[in-house]
Amino acid sequence: MLTDGYGRTVRYLRVSVTDRCDLRCAYCMPDGIELRPREDILSYEEIERFVRIAVEEGVTHVRLTGGEPLVRKGIVGHAARLAEIPGLDGLAITTNGTHLADMAESLADAGVERVNVSLDSLDADVFERITGGGRLADVFEGVDAALDASLDPVKLNVVAARSLSQDLGAFALLTAERPVHVRFIEYMTLGSPPLIGSGVREEPIPATEILARLRVLGPELGLGALEPAESPGGWGPARYHRFEHATGTIGVITPLSEHFCGTCDRLRLTADGRLRVCLFSDDEIDVREALRTGTDEDVRSAIHEAVAARPEGHGTRAGTLRSMSQIGG
Ligand code: SAM
Ligand code: SF4
């Protein structure tokens, strides 16, 4: 068991398989972000060894992220090898969706069960602008391919920020059109510049405001009332609601307005082989050296060192030196 000094047990590991990405989201990968030299990035064999040991120690769920995990060559085979690790109960992926149309089925066959797709705007022009050239149609093809491949649940992660002027009604309607779970995440100023170069510090939209606006929009759009709902499955800190006439749900994730540190059960492995003790802390434990030159015992000790170093909470701290593309979100 991986229990930290505050009685929280770590069961969930996010693995960033690459710091590269085919998009350039304004808040995540601004121009000029420094990529790690390739030799610093963990090989698939190193990640697989790490996960095997982490699972032996008590991790039960793994999510692959990045950068963009689907741009790393060989990711499907990697997922298949991870899925076979005895004791691993759940394997998921977080992606920008641009390559999902071609890969959803093989990922599902490989043993990936669920997928989160990042989608901050339903306006094709805005989407292209904030992602530095992404095509909204590609992402929708990916989402539909994921649904066809029976990846379940399919969640859409929406970073909520004022400068994006997001059409909440369009996201609400999406949960009636498809069985998808739209999750609004408070924007975090992690090592990132103001959103879309507005020149002002981006202001997150508190989840309470999002829910209040959706409650008004529901009846206006013929979706009915927004009621609290069960989680569609997963192991994250979102709280869910559902419109009366929808199959999908609306979730909110509140890293800023309402901390969920007390129940945090996760550890993060960066693409360059560091264990992050908290999303908001730059304290990292190096595990790459142990994976390259050490024994399994050395890797185990690094995992326990990271778990022991987990802070009780992030307090008022909401920023770090590394961007999300480096940490894995
Ligand atoms: N490329 C994949 C994707 O976009 O889903 C996986 C990696 S991405 C870094 C993981 C998540 O971090 C995405 O959902 C993205 O929207 C989110 N993210 C990036 N920067 C963020 C920020 N400053 N605040 C909140 N979420 C952020
Ligand atoms: Fe790439 Fe994801 Fe970061 Fe966007 S949020 S730049 S898709 S890693």
Side-chain angles (χ1 to χ4, degrees):
M1 289 266 275
L2 295 169
T3 303
D4 69 15
Y6 302 96
R8 297 167 301 190
T9 301
V10 170
R11 294 200 179 82
Y12 170 39
L13 174 71
R14 292 179 71 99
V15 178
S16 172
V17 296
T18 179
D19 60 350
R20 268 79 176 161
C21 186
D22 55 336
L23 296 184
R24 288 288 176 275
C25 300
Y27 53 77
C28 175
M29 272 189 106
D31 285 342
I33 199 159
E34 203 188 315
L35 295 176
R36 291 275 179 258
R38 296 223 179 243
E39 61 271 21
D40 284 2
I41 302 297
L42 294 184
S43 68
Y44 282 143
E45 291 71 22
E46 287 163 349
I47 297 175
E48 287 154 24
R49 178 172 174 220
F50 179 85
V51 172
R52 177 178 56 75
I53 296 169
V55 168
E56 283 167 10
E57 293 307 292
V59 163
T60 53
H61 291 85
V62 168
R63 176 174 296 279
L64 301 178
T65 171
E68 173 47 41
L70 300 190
V71 300
R72 181 158 176 188
K73 250 170 88 182
I75 188 71
V76 173
H78 178 54
R81 291 187 295 278
L82 290 176
E84 277 171 12
I85 293 176
L88 184 68
D89 288 342
L91 181 62
I93 203 156
T94 293
T95 170
N96 62 30
T98 55
H99 296 276
L100 198 52
D102 294 336
M103 297 174 76
E105 204 171 318
S106 36
L107 286 167
D109 290 344
V112 173
E113 290 152 27
R114 50 191 69 201
V115 65
N116 289 0
V117 178
S118 303
L119 181 53
D120 298 335
S121 176
L122 295 178
D123 177 307
D125 294 333
V126 174
F127 182 79
E128 187 176 341
R129 187 159 52 92
I130 58 180
T131 57
R135 277 173 28 98
L136 185 63
D138 292 345
V139 180
F140 267 99
E141 273 180 44
V143 168
D144 287 332
L147 292 169
D148 288 346
S150 300
L151 288 166
D152 183 33
V154 175
K155 296 178 181 168
L156 305 183
N157 286 347
V158 183
V159 174
R162 289 209 197 278
S163 64
L164 292 180
S165 309
Q166 284 142 326
D167 182 349
L168 295 190
F171 281 109
L173 286 168
L174 209 55
T175 65
E177 288 158 8
R178 291 173 170 83
V180 291
H181 307 280
V182 173
R183 301 166 351 134
F184 294 98
I185 304 169
E186 290 171 344
Y187 169 70
M188 294 173 264
T189 49
L190 283 191
S192 49
L195 210 58
I196 335 195
S198 56
V200 288
R201 200 168 169 79
E202 180 55 50
E203 201 195 323
I205 311 178
T208 43
E209 179 182 326
I210 292 172
L211 290 173
R213 281 164 60 189
L214 288 169
R215 275 194 194 96
V216 174
L217 283 167
E220 285 175 12
L221 295 169
L223 294 171
L226 185 66
E227 309 281 1
E230 292 277 298
S231 159
W235 48 83
R239 282 179 292 111
Y240 289 92
H241 293 75
R242 177 183 271 117
F243 287 107
E244 235 176 302
H245 306 304
T247 43
T249 62
I250 298 280
V252 289
I253 302 180
T254 56
L256 303 182
S257 65
E258 210 179 300
H259 297 182
F260 32 77
C261 306
T263 54
C264 177
D265 62 353
R266 56 189 58 191
L267 211 54
R268 294 176 163 82
L269 178 66
T270 66
D272 58 350
R274 324 243 150 201
L275 283 168
R276 275 188 85 90
V277 304
C278 167
L279 175 60
F280 294 105
S281 161
D282 287 309
D283 290 344
E284 295 178 349
I285 308 290
D286 178 35
V287 74
R288 189 178 65 208
E289 191 58 29
L291 285 167
R292 296 205 167 155
T293 59
T295 61
D296 282 7
E297 275 321 302
D298 297 328
V299 176
R300 243 179 268 284
S301 320
I303 295 173
H304 284 278
E305 194 186 334
V307 171
R310 275 158 47 92
E312 185 173 14
H314 64 77
T316 54
R317 189 168 179 171
T320 70
L321 300 173
R322 297 244 236 171
S323 87
M324 285 284 202
S325 63
Q326 295 168 319
I327 300 167

